[in-house]
C-alpha cells in the first residue's frame, strides 16, 4: 500500500528539482504551484493504481488466470499506464507553468497599485 502523504512529498521533491519553473518566480508562488500540483498528481496516481488493480482483477476472475500471472499482468499494466500518465502530466505541467508565468508577469507589470498623485500647486503646506 502506498502512503498518499509520502507519495505527495516525493512528487513535490521531484517537481521542485525538475520542473522548469523560472527562477524569477516568487518563492511563495513556486511553493504553492508545486504543492497544488503534487497533491493533484498523487491523487491521480493512487486513483489510477486502484483502477488498474480492479480492472485486472475483474479480467483475471473472468479468464481464470493464476495468482502469479495476475500479479505480473497487474504490474505490467500499472507500469504502462503510469508511464502514459507521467507523460501527460508533464505536458500539462509545462502548459501550466507557461500560463502561471504569464500571470505573474502581468501582475508585476499591472498590479503596482494606483499611481501616486501629486498635490495641486499651491495646496501643499497651506492651512
Amino acid at each position: 500500500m502506498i502512503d498518499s502523504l509520502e507519495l505527495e512529498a516525493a512528487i513535490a521533491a521531484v517537481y521542485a528539482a525538475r520542473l522548469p519553473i523560472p527562477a524569477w518566480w516568487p518563492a511563495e508562488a513556486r511553493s504553492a504551484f508545486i504543492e497544488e500540483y503534487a497533491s493533484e498528481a498523487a491523487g491521480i496516481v493512487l486513483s489510477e493504481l486502484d483502477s488498474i488493480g480492479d480492472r485486472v482483477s475483474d479480467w483475471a476472475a473472468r479468464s481464470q488466470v493464476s495468482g502469479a500471472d495476475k500479479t505480473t499482468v497487474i504490474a505490467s499494466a500499472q507500469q504502462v499506464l503510469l508511464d502514459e500518465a507521467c507523460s501527460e502530466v508533464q505536458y500539462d505541467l509545462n502548459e501550466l507553468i507557461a500560463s502561471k508565468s504569464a500571470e505573474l508577469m502581468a501582475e508585476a507589470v499591472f498590479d503596482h497599485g494606483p499611481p501616486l498623485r501629486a498635490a495641486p500647486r499651491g495646496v501643499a503646506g497651506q492651512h
Side-chain angles (χ1 to χ4, degrees):
M1 185 88 182
I2 297 174
D3 179 78
S4 63
L5 293 177
E6 288 178 10
L7 178 60
E8 187 175 330
I11 292 170
V14 170
Y15 282 5
R18 301 274 177 125
L19 284 181
I21 296 174
W24 56 264
W25 278 30
E28 62 276 359
R30 180 183 186 85
S31 294
F33 184 90
I34 289 170
E35 183 179 311
E36 178 180 351
Y37 291 105
S39 176
E40 186 177 306
I44 290 169
V45 167
L46 292 173
S47 177
E48 191 62 34
L49 286 174
D50 286 344
S51 181
I52 291 167
D54 292 344
R55 288 191 309 245
V56 172
S57 293
D58 290 345
W59 169 79
R62 287 190 309 269
S63 61
Q64 299 176 352
V65 174
S66 72
D69 289 339
K70 181 170 99 172
T71 301
T72 301
V73 169
I74 289 173
S76 177
Q78 286 174 333
Q79 189 59 52
V80 168
L81 292 174
L82 287 175
D83 286 347
E84 290 173 5
C86 287
S87 178
E88 188 174 316
V89 165
Q90 182 63 41
Y91 174 79
D92 290 346
L93 286 171
N94 287 335
E95 293 295 316
L96 290 166
I97 289 168
S99 176
K100 184 66 176 180
S101 291
E103 178 185 318
L104 290 170
M105 281 192 267
E107 286 176 9
V109 171
F110 298 110
D111 288 347
H112 288 296
L116 296 175
R117 295 182 184 216
R121 289 186 170 247
V123 173
Q126 290 183 355
H127 296 287

